Amino acid sequence: MKNAELYKCILGSVYTNCYFLKNKATGEVLIVDPADEAEKIFEKLKEISGTPKAILLTHGHFDHIQAVEEVRQKYHIPVYAQREEEKMLLDSSLNLSGNCGRIVCSIEADTFLSDLEVFEAAGFSVQIIHTPGHTEGSCLLLYRRRKYSVQRRYSVLRFGRKNGSAGRQYGRNCEKPPQTCGFSSGGDRGLSGT
């Protein structure tokens, strides 16, 4: 992780991990799963001297999206999600915010991405890997370091749930990069280096 720093906040009533992937050279930050408590997210960004450039969602349950609108509006940044998660993000009964959430929410992503699609943000190339199981549109996010040559090289991070079919789906969809570390979206359980 020569060009990146990773930070984490545990947020909300179910202790969801919200990650901040910061580009060391530019100070630009990708926010993964802004779960809840937007003020804590703002504080963390100030603490790390980060400039947010995008919000990335691993899935659409309430405990991953309740601070999306506040963060998006404050920083005027886009939201990226997996294409199959659109219905869940829009429907408070599907994303469970109507039943369990502190805030009833409906989120419209700015960009919906397909399996294995790559996009550029904050100086990183991020690949979305569809891993249905936890939800229809659950995904892992794999970032690649941008190189100044034609060659691209995988980084060492992936974000998303590690339970259920996610691991099997990940292995089926693409070749696992060497020295990959997984970061769970819920609590500290499920962290692994492989």
Side-chain angles (χ1 to χ4, degrees):
M1 285 193 355
K2 292 180 183 175
N3 68 332
E5 295 175 326
L6 181 68
Y7 301 92
K8 175 178 81 170
C9 280
I10 299 174
L11 303 169
S13 61
V14 294
Y15 307 104
T16 302
N17 289 326
C18 173
Y19 292 100
F20 304 83
L21 183 62
K22 181 180 174 185
N23 184 315
K24 287 182 186 178
T26 65
E28 296 175 333
V29 176
L30 300 178
I31 302 170
V32 180
D33 291 338
D36 199 355
E37 303 174 290
E39 287 301 323
K40 287 186 179 179
I41 294 170
F42 304 153
E43 288 171 20
K44 188 64 159 184
L45 287 164
K46 186 181 278 190
E47 175 189 315
I48 67 172
S49 300
T51 304
K53 289 298 177 181
I55 295 170
L56 315 178
L57 301 176
T58 60
H59 69 283
H61 279 151
F62 78 97
D63 58 318
H64 291 255
I65 64 172
Q66 286 188 310
V68 167
E69 286 306 329
E70 285 181 77
V71 174
R72 176 179 14 204
Q73 288 175 13
K74 181 174 177 80
Y75 298 109
H76 307 286
I77 56 176
V79 176
Y80 293 87
Q82 210 284 331
R83 186 168 309 286
E84 279 77 15
E85 206 67 351
E86 184 172 12
K87 287 180 189 173
M88 177 171 289
L89 291 170
L90 292 171
D91 187 333
S92 64
S93 64
L94 293 176
N95 67 37
L96 305 177
S97 67
N99 301 331
C100 306
R102 182 180 61 80
I103 300 168
V104 176
C105 58
S106 173
I107 303 298
E108 189 168 336
D110 296 289
T111 303
F112 286 102
L113 301 163
S114 299
D115 187 34
L116 303 181
E117 190 170 342
V118 176
F119 65 98
E120 305 284 328
F124 302 111
S125 293
V126 180
Q127 184 176 37
I128 193 159
I129 302 168
H130 187 209
T131 55
H134 183 65
T135 68
E136 186 178 331
S138 291
C139 66
L140 296 174
L141 302 166
L142 183 69
Y143 96 87
R144 299 175 188 192
R145 294 182 290 193
R146 266 198 203 159
K147 287 293 200 183
Y148 294 104
S149 67
V150 176
Q151 204 177 35
R152 291 200 186 265
R153 182 179 167 157
Y154 278 102
S155 72
V156 296
L157 300 177
R158 69 177 187 240
F159 302 93
R161 290 193 68 87
K162 194 137 168 23
N163 67 347
S165 63
R168 290 187 301 276
Q169 186 74 14
Y170 180 75
R172 190 189 79 198
N173 278 343
C174 64
E175 186 176 316
K176 183 177 165 185
Q179 299 176 340
T180 301
C181 293
F183 293 86
S184 171
S185 58
D188 283 333
R189 295 185 317 263
L191 297 181
S192 69
T194 54

